[in-house]
């Protein structure tokens, strides 16, 4: 079965950095896309970044472009989210999600993902 396990969350001050990890296993389909989403208290879950496992194409939400970088280590079956210049508005539970669609199309739609991790909390304080 597909498993996604996030780690790396924590508390940092404004302007700080964190690296989140999403360890994946159990894929029975080729060419998965792995995305990071986040959900702040009282807000809807929103897409942050995505990486296409084959070829490594990426895309980002406008709110994190230039500050966040998504990458993967295929040998470790792990996807990373490097976050820099963190702001208080980045505070949220961060989730990784996977789908077996070999495309980045509509990557930002929650309903497009069948598999989800349990999340890791990121808190940015001033």
């Amino acid at each position: 079965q597909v498993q996604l396990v996030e780690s790396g969350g924590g508390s940092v001050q404004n302007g700080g950095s964190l690296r989140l990890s999403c360890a994946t296993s159990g894929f029975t389909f080729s060419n998965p896309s792995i995305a990071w989403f986040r959900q702040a208290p009282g807000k809807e879950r929103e897409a942050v970044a995505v990486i296409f496992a084959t070829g490594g194409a990426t895309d980002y939400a406008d709110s994190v472009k230039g500050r966040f970088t998504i990458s993967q280590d295929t040998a470790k079956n792990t996807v990373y989210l490097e976050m820099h210049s963190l702001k208080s508005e980045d505070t949220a539970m961060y989730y990784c999600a996977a789908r077996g669609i070999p495309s980045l199309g509509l990557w930002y739609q929650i309903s497009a993902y069948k598999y989800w991790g349990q999340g890791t909390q990121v808190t940015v304080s001033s």
Side-chain angles (χ1 to χ4, degrees), residues 20 34-39 45-51 58-65 67-70 81-83 89-90 92-95 107-110 113 116:
L20 306 182
I34 311 296
W36 285 96
F37 285 77
R38 66 186 181 185
Q39 187 166 19
R45 193 169 297 191
E46 63 177 1
V48 176
V50 66
I51 189 164
T58 61
D59 202 0
Y60 298 88
D62 288 343
S63 60
V64 305
K65 281 181 180 177
R67 299 189 299 123
F68 291 12
T69 302
I70 190 170
L81 186 69
E82 291 269 2
M83 306 185 295
E89 51 262 45
D90 295 317
M93 185 72 78
Y94 283 71
Y95 301 89
W107 70 270
Y108 44 84
Q109 288 191 341
I110 297 171
Y113 295 84
W116 292 83

Side-chain angles (χ1 to χ4, degrees), residues 7-108:
S7 61
S11 296
V12 296
Q13 292 189 327
N14 273 343
S17 300
L18 281 174
R19 187 179 79 160
L20 306 182
S21 299
C22 174
T24 71
S25 62
F27 286 136
T28 59
F29 46 86
S30 58
N31 302 323
S33 297
I34 311 296
W36 285 96
F37 285 77
R38 66 186 181 185
Q39 187 166 19
K43 295 188 177 181
E44 293 186 352
R45 193 169 297 191
E46 63 177 1
V48 176
V50 66
I51 189 164
F52 184 34
T54 302
T58 61
D59 202 0
Y60 298 88
D62 288 343
S63 60
V64 305
K65 281 181 180 177
R67 299 189 299 123
F68 291 12
T69 302
I70 190 170
S71 62
Q72 61 183 349
D73 184 332
T74 55
K76 295 182 178 179
N77 293 322
T78 300
V79 172
Y80 302 99
L81 186 69
E82 291 269 2
M83 306 185 295
H84 299 287
S85 302
L86 283 163
K87 309 173 184 179
S88 56
E89 51 262 45
D90 295 317
T91 295
M93 185 72 78
Y94 283 71
Y95 301 89
C96 64
R99 64 180 190 173
I101 299 174
S103 166
L104 295 184
L106 300 178
W107 70 270
Y108 44 84

